[in-house]
Amino acid sequence: MANIEYRNPFRRMRMANNPKSKRTASSSASKRTRTPDAIALLKADHREVKDMHAHFEKLAEEGAAASEREALARRICAALRVHARIEEEIFYPAVKPVIDDDLLLPEAKVEHDSARDLIEQIESSSPKDELFDARVIVLGEYVQHHVKEEEREMFREVRASKELDLRALGKQMQARKEELMAGFKESADKKEKETAK
């Protein structure tokens, strides 16, 4: 779910003109635009995908409409593709120098490749395929294993190193994520128009 922020255009002016206000307009503005650090960004993605998978499992158990399950599965696949890309293009290369475990990053890449194979199977099938729901559920299990290793091992090492500017890295990752998501949306819209013809 998207967070909706309602902005009062006069609030900033009132805060700036109020000497009793402990918060200033500039501090309020900077808090609104603050980008999460790289690890916080990735953890938020992890939670979002976990929630989507839990919702998918519930829909599958309840025998929900195929169109509803398919739409959610496509959202899960798109989110995972984007997440894997920002990790592989930006995060992993940046953290490689501070990771002591020589197998941690290669294992993460192999896990991404396995997930990508399953994503391709999901995207090339439909809920009419008897394995569709099972593929999405198994993908969720793969992802949970991957998340557990990242959060318990990799993220701890990265935070402990203190050598990286995680905020700057997060900003770079957020920009790339938005770019990739826009591309996926454009592609999905195009596919939807072609299907409607």
Side-chain angles (χ1 to χ4, degrees), residues 10-191:
F10 301 107
R11 184 169 188 258
R12 178 182 280 180
M13 189 170 63
R14 275 197 324 262
M15 286 173 44
N17 294 329
N18 182 354
K20 293 181 182 177
S21 177
K22 291 183 181 176
R23 291 175 35 181
T24 64
S26 61
S27 71
S28 176
S30 69
K31 286 181 183 175
R32 274 198 309 269
T33 58
R34 181 175 282 170
T35 304
D37 75 27
I39 292 174
L41 178 77
L42 295 175
K43 283 184 169 186
D45 282 358
H46 292 166
R47 282 189 304 276
E48 178 185 22
V49 170
K50 182 179 180 178
D51 291 346
M52 285 193 287
H53 270 111
H55 186 61
F56 183 90
E57 284 190 46
K58 184 177 177 191
L59 292 177
E61 288 171 7
E62 294 172 351
S67 61
E68 189 177 0
R69 294 189 335 270
E70 184 172 21
L72 182 54
R74 303 272 178 242
R75 281 184 40 221
I76 291 168
C77 291
L80 288 172
R81 282 187 181 276
V82 168
H83 181 83
R85 290 275 300 271
I86 64 173
E87 283 186 332
E88 292 170 1
E89 291 176 8
I90 302 168
F91 187 72
Y92 292 167
V95 303
K96 186 176 183 175
V98 300
I99 300 289
D100 287 334
D101 186 336
D102 292 339
L103 287 176
L104 199 55
L105 288 172
E107 284 177 13
K109 289 178 184 176
V110 169
E111 290 166 357
H112 280 189
D113 290 343
S114 297
R116 215 176 338 266
D117 289 343
L118 205 44
I119 288 168
E120 288 171 9
Q121 291 175 40
I122 292 165
E123 290 176 336
S124 66
S125 65
S126 76
K128 293 176 187 170
D129 181 340
E130 71 174 322
L131 297 178
F132 183 82
D133 290 346
R135 286 181 179 126
V136 178
I137 290 167
V138 169
L139 177 61
E141 293 168 358
Y142 277 9
V143 169
Q144 281 310 108
H145 169 78
H146 176 74
V147 164
K148 186 188 293 185
E149 285 190 349
E150 267 189 354
E151 292 187 2
R152 288 185 181 170
E153 298 174 37
M154 187 184 303
F155 292 176
R156 285 182 182 172
E157 276 193 56
V158 170
R159 275 233 195 269
S161 77
K162 307 263 188 221
E163 292 179 32
L164 296 171
D165 182 347
L166 293 176
R167 181 114 13 239
L169 191 59
K171 188 174 183 179
Q172 183 183 0
M173 290 166 61
Q174 181 65 41
R176 181 64 173 139
K177 179 180 177 177
E178 289 169 6
E179 178 185 335
L180 291 168
M181 290 303 285
F184 274 105
K185 184 179 180 339
E186 187 177 302
S187 173
D189 291 347
K190 185 177 178 181
K191 200 176 282 187

